Amino acid sequence: MEACFIIFDATFTTQSLRDRAAFYLSKYTRPEWGDDYPDEDEAIFEAVDDCIFPLKIELRGECGLRWICSGGEYDDIPADWPERLQAQQGFSIICISAGGEIEWQVLAFDGNTTQNRYVTRFYDDRGRDQPIEDFERQFTTQKWQQAMFDDNEDALLAMADMQAERWIKALSDNAFTDIF
């Protein structure tokens, strides 16, 4: 894996739970190992301990939270962070550039479990691969692809909200069920 860019989007049952998750994610407020934190926050602390700090954390609406991470092969970025942070629901949108290719993995947390909803896959069969390429083209634009290959975090951050909204819409519409 050369580079990884992940957009997390989660909804919490209350603003205080959302704010607590943001507090523990943040570089500037995250407690260090051995620091005091409330016992009821132990699971949240363990969910973020030793993980990289997000590039951006954004409070969204009443109880929403979006955070964005960038890293490499050896960075600890848990794909199931919405679940670990005790969200009500959430998405993890993972983009990986490896070997000159862009690959996607999208997971959804429904309040109970985190499950893969989409993973890039090809069959070495033009007839089967073409619908996948056509579907992914809405996400892997030339600008996005160039930013991934250049590891240009500023450009990726600028496009992240639009990318997240596209994926969330595709998931809610089940737009990809007929391509596999």
Side-chain angles (χ1 to χ4, degrees), residues 42-55:
E42 185 171 359
I44 300 290
F45 173 78
E46 289 179 0
V48 300
D49 189 41
D50 292 332
C51 296
I52 70 166
F53 296 105
L55 299 171

Side-chain angles (χ1 to χ4, degrees), residues 125-138:
D125 173 342
R126 193 80 206 124
R128 292 178 76 191
D129 290 347
Q130 191 61 52
I132 297 166
E133 290 174 14
D134 293 344
F135 171 74
E136 286 193 6
R137 197 168 291 120
Q138 65 186 306

Side-chain angles (χ1 to χ4, degrees), residues 1-3 96-103 140 145-146 148-149:
M1 176 171 64
E2 294 174 10
I96 298 169
S97 68
E101 299 289 331
I102 299 290
E103 297 178 359
T140 311
Q145 188 171 4
Q146 191 62 51
M148 282 296 297
F149 291 150

